[in-house]
Amino acid sequence: MRLIIAEKPSLALAIAEALPGSIKRQEGAINCGDTTVTWCLGHLLEQAAPEAYDPADKQWRLDRLPIVPKQWKLAPRSKARGQLAVIRKLIKQASEVVHAGDPDREGQLLVQEVIEYLKYRGPVQRLLISDLNRPAVSRALAKLRPNAEYQPLFQAAQARSRADWLYGINLTRAWTLTGRQAGHDGVLSVGRVQTPVLGLIVRRDNAIRDFVPHPFYPLWVDLKVDQGQLRAWWIPQEHQPLDDQGRLIDRAPADALASRLPGASGRLAKLDQQEKRQAPPLPYSLSALQVDAARRHGLSAQMVLDICQLLYERHKLITYPRSDCRYLPEEHFSLAQRNLTGACQNDDSLKQWLNGADFSLRSKAWNDKQVGAHHAIAPSGKPADFSQLSATEGQVFRLIVRNVMAQFYRPLRTFEVKAEFNLLDEAFRARGQSILDPGWKPLFTTRDETPPLPPLTQGEACQVLAAGVEERETRPPEPFTDASLIKAMMNIARYVDDPAVRRTLRDTDGLGTEATRAGIIETLVQRGYLVRKQKALRATRLGSALIAALPSAVSTPERTALWEQRLRGIAEQQDDPGAFQHALLDDLRSLLSHSDAVKLRQSLQTAQGEAAAPVKRAGKPKKSYTRRKSTGKSTGKSTVKSKTTSG
């Protein structure tokens, strides 16, 4: 018997349906003639607990650290024992095994570790599938490769798994025991990914706490030009008192200039006009969907993941959701009209979008070269029964359909104008945008972000109708939300200074994966490190204290980049798993030496004091004054409370 072991049930079914012969289901498997297809349920195995190596390590003790297994062991996950038993029985009957994990590092590990754990010694082939359509699966079945070719990929994934265990087990025990000495009764969990995520939030909270606002003074002019009026803003010169964002922080120069401007004449010194075309946003990866669903509907990352799983498994309305890809296989293009028509049958908004689609258009979304282990999330084509969907399920489903539907809309065409006027030897800038063809834009918003300017001609004259100085105030950074934190985890390179590390992080998936990011956020909440305040994610006193007490190397993302460099080298046979672990242990021993009960106690006390401290506030803004041509006199206006972000 040939036994195919898939990573998940949906993949197993797709494989079975592509095999010749009739399908016969049995417990935990599908039989197709002389081939049986079974599946894992994610990872069936996990790294064994420390006490599995030495019973003495069941008790947490500082003098036992670091714990380093001499011979690594795996143990069945508690909820996976039943399926593991099914595979154990089938593999004993198999003359050949086919590894059908996802075509990536973790997919290689997930199935191969089961094969090795069950001590199968026969031939193993590798089946690589990234598209569940039957023709694509059939082609993949005809191109099996020896699994031995992927041994370096397995070694890299195995090295990552063991490194995470060493890092998490030892640092969690060290800081938990240190916490007890400092008076904290509870586990202080430390991890390679979760702790840098917590560090992001703590540093953002600290920036908000320590932020001292200052006023700045933008000066505007209303100008009469040949074919209308517009508003332009003064660009202060470098000799003026400016902050690091180029904003004027002394009102006197603005007031002095404003008093001279009414009635002044000038000319249009620079004019930049160009038509721009913008392609529709690509279909969603999971993280991109989580960002949009959080912004539009206030859904947490975990809620979006849970909803997607229901839409995929229970309702069968979408394709596999835990994808990091925003492209679709080229083969899907011919099926898109049918699938979208089915998806839109029972919803008026979706029908309206469908009626506006032009299925002769082909966007860049269909690109086999960009499709990896999975393709973008897309509707399956099954009609949705919205009476059977919750309100939030309907919202997420419409987003998924919309982003695929947008591929059949024309590009957004705009006419953008940037104008610089010279008045009294000073520069004033204005910008505007006209919509030439809304294309896909109405599917996303009906709001015009930048109003248009009247028609302009290089060198034309202008005259000041009015001028005014506003007093605005800088604002602190915004606290993280589910949307902005997921985006930060996806683009973690932005938060790193070292150029080499930044490059590595740009080439990887950032912090966490599509499947784990939501869980990381929820884990930090459940462990008492984060709390949700309306939409904001804020660090608790405990979370802030832990980051303050840990070495900075533990709470910043650089380690992920350094690990990724080594793991990539292992996968490409340019590095050695043993050397990687040896370097990690040296690093780990150094970090363990920094566990300090006094520092942690002080961090806990400091965090408690800061939580009770009043927030810094700026003084009351002054009034804004407007200069008008008619009188040239100052007229008091109500306080301008608009503010801009400090950067």
Side-chain angles (χ1 to χ4, degrees):
M1 176 195 69
R2 180 174 67 163
L3 178 65
I4 300 178
I5 305 176
E7 182 165 329
K8 57 185 77 71
S10 58
L11 177 59
L13 179 59
I15 293 170
E17 289 176 340
L19 290 169
S22 59
I23 289 176
K24 182 180 178 182
R25 294 178 180 270
Q26 59 190 75
E27 183 182 0
I30 305 170
N31 184 261
C32 306
D34 63 348
T35 299
T36 298
V37 186
T38 187
W39 54 82
C40 300
L41 302 167
H43 281 279
L44 299 182
L45 303 169
E46 61 187 357
Q47 295 294 336
E51 56 267 28
Y53 301 100
D54 189 335
D57 284 323
K58 188 167 186 178
Q59 182 182 5
W60 292 26
R61 291 169 46 185
L62 281 171
D63 62 358
R64 299 283 300 177
L65 303 179
I67 299 169
V68 184
K70 293 181 180 178
Q71 189 72 34
W72 288 89
K73 298 178 181 179
L74 294 171
R77 291 179 180 268
S78 58
K79 295 182 179 180
R81 294 182 184 276
Q83 188 60 21
L84 189 63
V86 169
I87 300 174
R88 185 192 304 273
K89 180 180 177 181
L90 292 170
I91 209 167
K92 289 179 179 179
Q93 307 167 27
S95 57
E96 177 188 358
V97 168
V98 177
H99 177 318
D102 285 350
D104 56 20
R105 199 164 66 197
E106 284 305 302
Q108 187 66 35
L109 174 70
L110 191 147
V111 175
Q112 186 166 334
E113 66 183 3
V114 170
I115 296 170
E116 295 189 0
Y117 179 79
L118 296 176
K119 296 182 170 57
Y120 176 76
R121 297 290 181 262
V124 181
Q125 298 287 96
R126 186 64 164 99
L127 173 61
L128 299 169
I129 296 174
S130 59
D131 180 358
L132 297 189
N133 272 353
R134 184 176 296 187
V137 176
S138 297
R139 286 196 298 271
L141 282 164
K143 297 178 181 178
L144 297 180
R145 304 290 301 171
N147 188 59
E149 293 181 6
Y150 302 91
Q151 186 66 12
L153 199 63
F154 170 74
Q155 290 176 334
Q158 187 182 64
R160 194 277 314 153
S161 176
R162 292 172 176 178
D164 275 338
W165 188 94
L166 288 167
Y167 191 82
I169 289 289
N170 285 292
L171 294 186
T172 295
R173 288 194 174 200
W175 260 267
T176 296
L177 293 168
T178 302
R180 290 176 187 172
Q181 296 173 3
H184 174 75
D185 185 19
V187 174
L188 291 177
S189 177
V190 180
R192 175 178 63 96
V193 176
Q194 65 165 290
T195 305
V197 172
L198 176 61
L200 279 178
I201 295 174
V202 169
R203 286 186 285 276
R204 175 64 59 86
D205 285 353
N206 290 346
I208 294 169
R209 180 200 66 207
D210 297 337
F211 181 80
V212 178
H214 68 262
F216 64 98
Y217 305 96
L219 185 161
W220 54 264
V221 290
D222 285 341
L223 299 176
K224 184 179 185 306
V225 292
D226 286 349
Q227 299 190 53
Q229 297 181 15
L230 57 85
R231 175 162 289 191
W233 297 84
W234 180 39
I235 308 302
Q237 298 177 24
E238 291 184 1
H239 67 268
Q240 302 287 357
L242 308 177
D243 66 10
D244 58 0
Q245 301 293 314
R247 296 171 298 205
L248 188 70
I249 55 176
D250 181 356
R251 181 166 190 143
D255 281 338
L257 180 57
S259 67
R260 299 164 51 212
L261 280 167
S265 298
R267 67 180 186 88
L268 177 52
K270 296 179 182 177
L271 181 63
D272 180 9
Q273 302 181 105
Q274 55 183 309
E275 181 179 327
K276 291 191 175 181
R277 295 167 60 90
Q278 186 178 346
L282 291 166
Y284 284 120
S285 64
L286 175 59
S287 288
L289 177 59
Q290 287 168 322
V291 170
D292 267 10
R295 287 175 173 167
R296 290 179 174 271
H297 303 300
L299 303 178
S300 73
Q302 187 63 49
M303 287 174 67
V304 177
L305 176 56
D306 292 343
I307 288 167
C308 283
Q309 286 299 126
L310 289 171
L311 292 173
Y312 174 61
E313 294 174 355
R314 178 188 297 175
H315 303 294
K316 296 180 170 46
L317 292 174
I318 64 171
T319 59
Y320 180 69
R322 295 174 183 248
S323 173
D324 61 354
C325 179
R326 298 197 68 175
Y327 291 85
L328 294 165
E330 294 171 14
E331 192 173 57
H332 283 205
F333 178 75
S334 62
L335 304 172
Q337 182 171 4
R338 185 197 71 185
N339 288 345
L340 288 170
T341 300
C344 298
Q345 275 187 24
N346 300 318
D347 183 81
D348 290 340
S349 294
L350 294 179
K351 283 181 183 177
Q352 185 176 352
W353 293 347
L354 181 67
N355 291 337
D358 180 354
F359 289 99
S360 68
L361 300 174
R362 182 176 182 129
S363 77
K364 63 180 180 180
W366 284 271
N367 187 337
D368 287 343
K369 293 179 181 178
Q370 296 289 345
V371 174
H374 306 290
H375 58 67
I377 308 171
S380 66
K382 179 184 176 183
D385 183 352
F386 283 87
S387 67
Q388 298 299 310
L389 300 182
S390 68
T392 52
E393 287 170 352
Q395 288 169 343
V396 172
F397 179 66
R398 289 184 185 94
L399 289 178
I400 293 168
V401 174
R402 180 201 64 183
N403 270 45
V404 178
M405 185 79 71
Q407 309 312 309
F408 297 101
Y409 275 71
R410 296 182 305 278
L412 166 66
R413 289 175 51 236
T414 58
F415 186 68
E416 299 191 7
V417 180
K418 296 178 183 178
E420 183 173 309
F421 296 87
N422 187 281
L423 297 158
L424 304 180
D425 296 323
E426 297 287 345
F428 293 79
R429 289 181 187 160
R431 62 191 307 167
Q433 182 188 81
S434 303
I435 304 293
L436 301 177
D437 183 348
W440 53 266
K441 191 75 171 178
L443 275 65
F444 291 75
T445 180
T446 57
R447 187 174 64 250
D448 291 336
E449 296 178 0
T450 307
L453 297 179
L456 296 170
T457 304
Q458 175 76 39
E460 72 174 271
C462 62
Q463 186 173 31
V464 178
L465 299 176
V469 179
E470 295 181 359
E471 178 171 322
R472 299 185 184 178
E473 188 178 271
T474 57
R475 293 196 306 180
E478 294 291 333
F480 277 114
T481 63
D482 276 75
S484 60
L485 184 58
I486 289 284
K487 195 167 184 179
M489 293 167 75
M490 293 166 64
N491 302 287
I492 195 63
R494 296 178 183 174
Y495 299 85
V496 173
D497 294 328
D498 187 291
V501 175
R502 206 162 47 233
R503 278 194 301 273
T504 300
L505 286 170
R506 273 200 297 264
D507 293 341
T508 65
D509 293 332
L511 276 180
T513 66
E514 302 295 321
T516 62
R517 286 179 185 132
I520 289 165
I521 296 172
E522 295 307 315
T523 295
L524 290 170
V525 172
Q526 291 163 9
R527 288 176 175 164
Y529 295 150
L530 297 182
V531 64
R532 281 191 172 88
K533 295 183 177 180
Q534 297 179 333
K535 291 184 178 182
L537 288 164
R538 307 301 292 263
T540 62
R541 181 173 66 90
L542 178 62
S544 295
L546 178 61
I547 295 301
L550 285 166
S552 61
V554 178
S555 64
T556 53
E558 282 81 355
R559 178 168 276 97
T560 289
L562 297 174
W563 280 26
E564 190 58 39
Q565 287 175 339
R566 299 294 300 268
L567 294 171
R568 188 181 299 167
I570 295 169
E572 296 172 355
Q573 296 182 280
Q574 297 172 357
D575 205 338
D576 176 65
F580 170 63
Q581 182 172 313
H582 182 75
L584 168 63
L585 290 174
D586 287 344
D587 188 24
L588 196 54
R589 291 187 181 97
S590 174
L591 293 173
L592 289 171
S593 69
H594 287 83
S595 60
D596 185 337
V598 173
K599 184 177 181 181
L600 183 55
R601 185 183 299 112
Q602 291 173 343
S603 298
L604 286 164
Q605 292 170 348
T606 300
Q608 187 172 18
E610 288 170 347
V615 177
K616 298 182 180 71
R617 297 186 182 278
K620 183 178 178 181
K622 300 176 183 178
K623 290 184 177 181
S624 168
Y625 291 90
T626 301
R627 301 280 181 178
R628 299 190 180 278
K629 180 182 178 182
S630 56
T631 63
K633 296 180 180 179
S634 300
T635 55
K637 293 292 179 183
S638 60
T639 302
V640 176
K641 296 184 178 179
S642 56
K643 303 174 184 178
T644 60
T645 305
S646 63

